[in-house]
Amino acid sequence: MLVNVTELLVRHAMSEMEWRRRLPCDCEQCRDDVMALALNQLSPRYVSTDRGEAYVKAQYMNSQLQMDIVRELAVSLQRVANNPRHTGS
């Protein structure tokens, strides 16, 4: 199975850091928009084995990668908060 580990790391950071609380709306559309915007600014890290996934997740200990993810989530969250695309509350 092919997996983008960057997506897993961003999902984890989003839930761990409680980014969703900072959104004025916690609808699926807003959450997906934040994820998509952030992921489009980060390099994908595709793996096809559990061993590869473990290696990339270990790279998350790198403070630069952590800061890149935090930065992109913050920028994306602000963009979505300022211009939500959802149709209802």
Side-chain angles (χ1 to χ4, degrees), residues 10-33:
V10 169
R11 283 187 191 280
H12 175 74
M14 226 176 135
S15 66
E16 186 175 271
M17 299 175 140
E18 301 181 20
W19 288 101
R20 290 162 56 175
R21 285 191 194 185
R22 297 182 184 190
L23 276 172
C25 172
D26 189 33
C27 73
E28 186 176 355
Q29 181 69 57
C30 288
R31 290 190 314 264
D32 287 349
D33 286 348

Side-chain angles (χ1 to χ4, degrees), residues 11-88:
R11 283 187 191 280
H12 175 74
M14 226 176 135
S15 66
E16 186 175 271
M17 299 175 140
E18 301 181 20
W19 288 101
R20 290 162 56 175
R21 285 191 194 185
R22 297 182 184 190
L23 276 172
C25 172
D26 189 33
C27 73
E28 186 176 355
Q29 181 69 57
C30 288
R31 290 190 314 264
D32 287 349
D33 286 348
V34 170
M35 287 284 299
L37 288 168
L39 285 167
N40 282 330
Q41 298 304 312
L42 296 164
S43 297
R45 289 168 174 81
Y46 288 100
V47 297
S48 60
T49 65
D50 290 340
R51 185 176 173 189
E53 185 175 341
Y55 174 75
V56 175
K57 284 182 177 179
Q59 287 182 330
Y60 185 64
M61 295 304 185
N62 176 316
S63 61
Q64 184 60 54
L65 179 56
Q66 289 179 23
M67 291 307 300
D68 290 347
I69 290 172
V70 168
R71 180 189 66 240
E72 293 308 330
L73 280 173
V75 169
S76 299
L77 186 134
Q78 191 61 51
R79 285 181 63 190
V80 170
N82 289 340
N83 190 22
R85 294 186 322 126
H86 63 266
T87 55

